[in-house]
Amino acid sequence: QGTRRVPVNYAKQIVGNKQFGGARNFLPLKVNAAGVMPIIFAQAILFLPTIFTGYRGSGWASYFTDHTNGVYMVVYSVLVIAFTFLYTALIFNPKQMADDLKRNNGFIPGIKPGQPTADYIGTIMDRITLPGAVLLAMVGIMPGLFQLAFGMSQGFSTFFGGTSLLIMVGVILDTLQQIETQLLMRQYDGLMSSGRIQGRQAVASGM
């Protein structure tokens, strides 16, 4: 859920006696925009050697079936980081984002509208994607590390760590966000401000 907030200003427009725009907002860029997809892609690629060896995982293919193997961890981490950048480039379009800002009279302070804005947003996205990709790689090799450190079985460490943990946390956060959205849409002001259940926006404004 971590984001890098880029400040965005909107130009003022005066129509008759009314003034529009002039507000300041933030453009949230997610640190982990790819989600769990890079891990799924990496696991699918590492599963290919076992197909060629008849699912036995013998010989050179055994390196890609043992989660505690150093070769497996290195190759898996490289694939996760590479797929994170690739998937982020596919779903994130800084050019379109810059065009939308220009169309709505928005601009980033100190950056010219148009292509310079797209380059600036793309540079920020590349910088924050790297720590997100490294984090995904660490989550992916977590079951193997748990097996080596604590002597857990492969089934236990795989089920309660790594991808399973990431998916579970993602589903919980998405469910909470959906509930919060429904509460805000139905305008439960009393529940959001004075009740036990408070939205993140209400909590942030109260702090």
Side-chain angles (χ1 to χ4, degrees):
Q1 296 294 308
T3 57
R4 166 73 157 82
R5 300 201 306 171
V6 179
V8 176
N9 293 339
Y10 290 91
K12 296 180 181 179
Q13 291 183 342
I14 299 178
V15 180
N17 296 328
K18 295 183 179 180
Q19 175 178 315
F20 299 92
R24 182 173 183 178
N25 209 334
F26 293 95
L27 185 66
L29 302 179
K30 295 188 65 175
V31 176
N32 183 18
V36 74
M37 294 305 296
I39 293 183
I40 297 177
F41 290 154
Q43 288 180 344
I45 294 297
L46 290 178
F47 189 69
L48 292 178
T50 61
I51 296 179
F52 295 123
T53 57
Y55 298 97
R56 293 187 301 271
S58 59
W60 60 274
S62 61
Y63 291 108
F64 302 101
T65 58
D66 185 8
H67 295 175
T68 61
N69 190 284
V71 176
Y72 175 89
M73 292 185 182
V74 172
V75 175
Y76 186 79
S77 300
V78 172
L79 288 176
V80 169
I81 294 175
F83 279 123
T84 300
F85 278 94
L86 177 61
Y87 193 78
T88 302
L90 292 177
I91 66 174
F92 184 80
N93 190 352
K95 177 63 176 177
Q96 181 180 359
M97 192 171 296
D99 292 340
D100 292 340
L101 287 176
K102 186 177 181 180
R103 191 179 303 112
N104 295 321
N105 297 321
F107 61 94
I108 299 176
I111 306 298
K112 295 182 179 180
Q115 188 60 39
T117 299
D119 295 338
Y120 179 76
I121 296 176
T123 301
I124 293 179
M125 199 63 192
D126 291 338
R127 291 177 179 176
I128 65 177
T129 300
L130 180 58
V134 173
L135 176 63
L136 283 180
M138 293 179 60
V139 171
I141 64 176
M142 188 182 299
L145 296 177
F146 280 175
Q147 286 182 247
L148 292 175
F150 304 105
M152 298 179 179
S153 63
Q154 181 176 350
F156 183 85
S157 61
T158 303
F159 184 79
F160 289 99
T163 311
S164 302
L165 183 63
L166 184 63
I167 294 176
M168 181 180 65
V169 173
V171 170
I172 293 175
L173 291 176
D174 184 68
T175 303
L176 292 176
Q177 186 177 7
Q178 293 291 335
I179 295 175
E180 180 182 345
T181 301
Q182 291 297 325
L183 291 176
L184 292 176
M185 288 178 59
R186 296 178 181 276
Q187 298 181 356
Y188 286 161
D189 296 333
L191 180 62
M192 300 299 292
S193 61
S194 60
R196 292 184 178 181
I197 303 177
Q198 296 186 3
R200 287 173 294 176
Q201 297 179 357
V203 175
S205 61
M207 294 177 63

